[in-house]
Amino acid sequence: MLRSLVGSEMCIRDRFERAVDYFRNPDNEGDKFPDGSEPEAVHLAITLAQSGLLELTCADASGANNSSACLNLLQPVDKAQLDKSHVSIDYCSLLYQYALRYLSTKTPELALKYLALIPNSHREVRIECMVELAKETRDYNRLFLTSQETITANSDLPLLNQLMNWQNCPADAKKVTSLAARDAYDRDFWEQAIDLYLASEMPGAAVETVCRELEREYASELGGHRNHILLERVKRLLEDTNMTTKGPEVHSLQKLYAVSAFFEAYAQGMQGCRERDALPRRNAEALTEYANPAEQKRTQIERAFATALEYLQGHSQHMGIVRPRLIPIIGPDNLQAVSERIVDECVLSYQNEARTGVQSAIRSMLAPVCDILNWLLENEEQYGTKSEHVRDNNKKEIIRNCNQLKMFAHKIHNIVPLSQDVAKQVSSLRLE
C-alpha cells in the first residue's frame, strides 16, 4: 500500500501529510488492517519526519491538549486563506495519543521513547507531553528517574536524560523534572516531588516541599503525628553533603526535624504508658528486680521521655545534623545556665522564624512537654533513688524546666495566643 501511495497523485499534490492521514484511517476496505491502522500511520510519520518530509503544525496548535480520539490530524497551513489544500500535520499530538497506548500495557518507558521523537523545533511541546504522560502514570520517579531502560550501552543515566542527550537538549531533562515535581506535589505525591526537585538540582525547592509537609503534620497545637517516612526524608536531606542551599529554608528544616524527632520519642513514651497501664496487677512480693514487667516498662518510658527532651536542648551538631534549641529545656549537664537568658533566646528564635508553620509546630510541642514533665516529676517522687538528696536535686531540675516552659509559653502567647487547652496544660505544671 505504501508503494501505491507514494507513487500516487495524492502524495505528489498534497505531500506526505495526507499519506499519513490516509494510513491512519483508510477509506478502502482492502487497505485496512485487522488490528487497526494507527501503528502503521505513526511509524510512517516517524520515518517521514526524521527525513524532513513532513510540514509540522505549529507548536501552539499541537501537543497533549490536542490528543483526543477524534484528533484532526491535518491542519491548514494558513487558515486565513480560502485555499485549504496546503496542510500541515499535527505530528506531536499523533505521537502523544499513540504513546498513551503503552500505559495500558504498563510500559510507560516505551511511551516516553515515542515522545522523545518529537523534534527540537517543538521542544516546549515535547516537555509538556512528557509531563502530561507522567500525570497519567502517577509514577513520576519510574518514568523520569530510573535507568532500567537504556538507549546507549553501559549508561547509568535515567532514561529521560539519555533521551534528551540523544536529542542534544540535555537541559530539557531538568525542565521536565522540575515541572513534574510541581505537579506531583499538587497531587499529594510529596515524596516523588522531593526526588524530582533534587534531580532538577533545585535543593531549595526540595527543602521547601519537606517543610510544607512537616508543617502540615504539626499544624495542631494539641500534638503531632508520627511519620517515619517523612522523618527519614528530612534526615537524608539534612545529611546530604551536596546540599548547597544554606538559607532560611534549611534553618527552618532543622527546627522541624527537631520537632519530628521529639514527637517520635514522645510517641514511644506514650505507647509505653498505655502498655504499662494494660499490664495485669501482680503481687509485688512475687516479682523480682529482673522479672518485673511494669518496672521494665517504666524504665523504657523514662528513657523515651528523656530522649524527647534531649531533642529540645539544642546541639551545634548531632549525627551530622544541626539541631537548634526550640523550647527552654535544660539537661543535668547545663544546670548553671541562666533561665531567663535561655527563655529569651528561644522566644527570639520563635519570633524571628519567618514560617508560621514552624511556629505552629513549636507550639504543638508545649502540651506534650507538659505531659512529660508532669510524668517525670511523679515518677521521681514514686520511684526515684533512695537518696533523698539526689531525689530532691532531680525534682528541682524538673521543676526548673517547668518554670522555664511556663515563662516561654507566656511570652509567645503575647505573639500568637495559645489555645485554651494548651494554656490549661501549661497551668498544670508544678512551679517553685
Side-chain angles (χ1 to χ4, degrees):
M1 184 171 68
L2 174 60
R3 186 181 294 110
S4 62
L5 284 173
V6 171
S8 68
E9 182 183 355
M10 178 186 69
C11 253
I12 296 173
R13 185 184 64 221
D14 295 326
R15 305 152 43 111
F16 295 105
E17 292 79 8
R18 295 192 183 275
V20 174
D21 188 45
Y22 180 82
F23 256 88
R24 187 166 174 263
N25 189 20
D27 297 329
N28 192 330
E29 288 294 328
D31 293 335
K32 294 181 179 179
F33 289 81
D35 298 327
S37 303
E38 187 174 22
E40 283 69 26
V42 170
H43 291 96
L44 173 62
I46 292 171
T47 302
L48 294 173
Q50 295 289 322
S51 302
L53 298 176
L54 291 180
E55 183 166 356
L56 307 187
T57 301
C58 65
D60 295 339
S62 63
N65 295 326
N66 190 27
S67 59
S68 61
C70 55
L71 168 66
N72 189 6
L73 191 59
L74 300 182
Q75 302 287 338
V77 173
D78 191 346
K79 296 182 179 180
Q81 295 183 3
L82 296 178
D83 183 13
K84 306 298 183 183
S85 62
H86 188 31
V87 296
S88 63
I89 186 169
D90 192 351
Y91 178 63
C92 301
S93 299
L94 177 67
L95 285 180
Y96 180 76
Q97 180 176 294
Y98 185 71
L100 291 179
R101 284 186 166 201
Y102 291 96
L103 300 187
S104 61
T105 61
K106 298 182 180 180
T107 52
E109 295 84 0
L110 187 53
L112 187 65
K113 290 179 180 180
Y114 273 102
L115 296 183
L117 295 172
I118 296 175
N120 289 339
S121 60
H122 291 57
R123 289 173 61 185
E124 296 302 321
V125 178
R126 185 171 64 207
I127 292 171
E128 174 196 352
C129 287
M130 288 180 171
V131 174
E132 289 297 321
L133 181 68
K135 291 181 183 180
E136 296 290 338
T137 67
R138 300 188 178 184
D139 194 349
Y140 301 82
N141 286 6
R142 174 185 173 181
L143 195 61
F144 296 144
L145 303 183
T146 60
S147 56
Q148 296 176 354
E149 292 280 335
T150 59
I151 61 173
T152 57
N154 301 321
S155 177
D156 294 329
L157 289 174
L159 177 62
L160 173 65
N161 296 73
Q162 296 179 55
L163 293 171
M164 294 302 94
N165 289 345
W166 174 72
Q167 283 282 25
N168 295 318
C169 298
D172 284 2
K174 294 179 183 178
K175 292 182 180 180
V176 172
T177 51
S178 62
L179 290 173
R182 295 174 200 169
D183 183 76
Y185 185 78
D186 290 341
R187 292 167 177 253
D188 206 25
F189 298 121
W190 59 267
E191 286 185 81
Q192 297 189 65
I194 293 170
D195 292 331
L196 290 164
Y197 276 131
L198 292 176
S200 306
E201 297 183 2
M202 300 172 64
V207 170
E208 173 70 18
T209 301
V210 176
C211 285
R212 289 180 185 176
E213 283 304 304
L214 286 166
E215 288 170 344
R216 187 161 60 179
E217 287 284 320
Y218 305 108
S220 171
E221 290 187 16
L222 297 179
H225 303 285
R226 193 176 178 188
N227 190 330
H228 289 296
I229 297 176
L230 184 55
L231 183 59
E232 187 60 32
R233 294 309 301 265
V234 174
K235 290 173 62 177
R236 285 166 54 187
L237 271 179
L238 291 177
E239 292 171 351
D240 187 358
T241 56
N242 295 321
M243 180 67 67
T244 56
T245 300
K246 298 297 182 183
E249 299 93 348
V250 173
H251 296 311
S252 296
L253 186 60
Q254 290 167 348
K255 295 177 182 179
L256 290 168
Y257 171 74
V259 174
S260 304
F262 164 81
F263 271 110
E264 183 179 43
Y266 171 70
Q268 292 174 357
M270 294 304 294
Q271 178 65 25
C273 289
R274 290 188 291 271
E275 292 173 355
R276 184 167 181 259
D277 293 339
L279 291 174
R281 302 298 178 184
R282 300 174 63 181
N283 187 351
E285 297 179 355
L287 300 173
T288 67
E289 180 182 357
Y290 303 102
N292 190 334
E295 177 62 18
Q296 293 169 356
K297 188 61 65 176
R298 185 192 67 80
T299 303
Q300 293 176 8
I301 298 168
E302 189 177 39
R303 189 181 302 116
F305 282 161
T307 300
L309 294 183
E310 184 183 351
Y311 280 113
L312 305 180
Q313 295 171 25
H315 292 275
S316 59
Q317 193 163 353
H318 177 76
M319 299 296 290
I321 299 175
V322 175
R323 198 171 65 205
R325 185 192 296 275
L326 302 180
I327 289 180
I329 297 295
I330 59 173
D333 57 341
N334 198 22
L335 294 177
Q336 303 303 318
V338 180
S339 296
E340 290 78 5
R341 179 178 61 81
I342 294 177
V343 171
D344 289 342
E345 287 176 356
C346 291
V347 172
L348 184 63
S349 174
Y350 173 88
Q351 192 171 10
N352 291 339
E353 174 56 53
R355 300 183 70 95
T356 57
V358 175
Q359 293 180 327
S360 178
I362 294 173
R363 292 197 303 272
S364 73
M365 293 190 293
L366 292 177
V369 173
C370 291
D371 291 337
I372 292 176
L373 293 176
N374 286 331
W375 187 93
L376 290 175
L377 192 57
E378 181 181 347
N379 178 70
E380 190 64 36
E381 291 176 340
Q382 294 186 18
Y383 304 100
T385 178
K386 294 180 180 180
S387 170
E388 185 175 350
H389 174 72
V390 175
R391 185 167 64 250
D392 288 344
N393 285 339
N394 291 341
K395 289 171 61 177
K396 286 180 181 179
E397 177 191 332
I398 297 171
I399 291 175
R400 180 181 178 180
N401 281 325
C402 291
N403 286 328
Q404 293 177 164
L405 182 63
K406 190 165 186 177
M407 284 190 290
F408 175 75
H410 176 73
K411 291 188 176 184
I412 67 170
H413 177 76
N414 295 329
I415 302 172
V416 177
L418 302 175
S419 67
Q420 291 184 352
D421 291 332
V422 173
K424 185 176 179 181
Q425 281 280 85
V426 174
S427 299
S428 71
L429 293 171
R430 192 184 306 184
L431 306 178
E432 290 180 334

